[in-house]
Amino acid sequence: QVQLVESGGGLVQAGDSLRLSCAASGRTFGTYNMGWFRQAPGKDREFVASISWNGIVTRYADSVKVRFTISRDNTKNTVYIQMNSLKPEEKAVYYCAATQRPMLSITTQGPDYWGQGTQVNVSS
């Protein structure tokens, strides 16, 4: 089992950058494929990005490609997402997620674990 705690959310202006972090508990973080999702007010939770257990493979939602970068540091049990050129419509609660199943399953079947989320507000 793993516990996930997100941080780094806040209020930024459109066009600004923000980096979110997700710290994981336990000694098996390096065996988990990780992801970021977000949920805007009144909308369903949506996939943002994922990264394989070894950091080699990454996937992104089309809407964030080029602007967002997911990364991880297994020595620190932490996964990050660097978000550049933020848009007002990207105001949402951002969630960290984890699975030990194959990486693609994080979107096809859903993660096994979720963090509590961190709020990102983007003003126009």
Side-chain angles (χ1 to χ4, degrees):
Q1 189 169 352
V2 64
Q3 292 184 323
L4 307 172
V5 179
E6 301 95 333
S7 62
L11 173 63
V12 297
Q13 292 187 331
D16 283 352
S17 298
L18 199 61
R19 188 178 82 156
L20 306 181
S21 301
C22 172
S25 64
R27 292 176 289 180
T28 59
F29 176 73
T31 67
Y32 285 86
N33 297 305
M34 302 296 296
W36 286 96
F37 291 73
R38 65 188 178 190
Q39 187 166 19
K43 295 190 176 181
D44 292 336
R45 193 171 300 189
E46 65 174 2
F47 168 76
V48 176
S50 59
I51 188 166
S52 60
W53 61 273
N54 56 8
I56 292 176
V57 181
T58 57
R59 289 181 63 234
Y60 296 92
D62 288 344
S63 60
V64 307
K65 277 180 183 176
V66 177
R67 296 185 299 118
F68 289 16
T69 303
I70 190 171
S71 62
R72 66 189 296 160
D73 185 341
N74 286 352
T75 67
K76 296 181 178 179
N77 280 17
T78 302
V79 63
Y80 307 95
I81 188 158
Q82 175 69 40
M83 306 184 294
N84 298 330
S85 302
L86 280 161
K87 304 174 182 179
E89 57 265 36
E90 293 179 311
K91 168 185 174 178
V93 178
Y94 284 71
Y95 296 91
C96 178
T99 184
Q100 286 184 310
R101 290 178 280 112
M103 182 179 160
L104 277 177
S105 71
I106 210 164
T107 49
T108 59
Q109 301 176 45
D112 297 314
Y113 303 100
W114 292 98
Q116 85 289 348
T118 185
Q119 179 72 49
V120 172
N121 293 316
V122 186
S123 64
S124 56

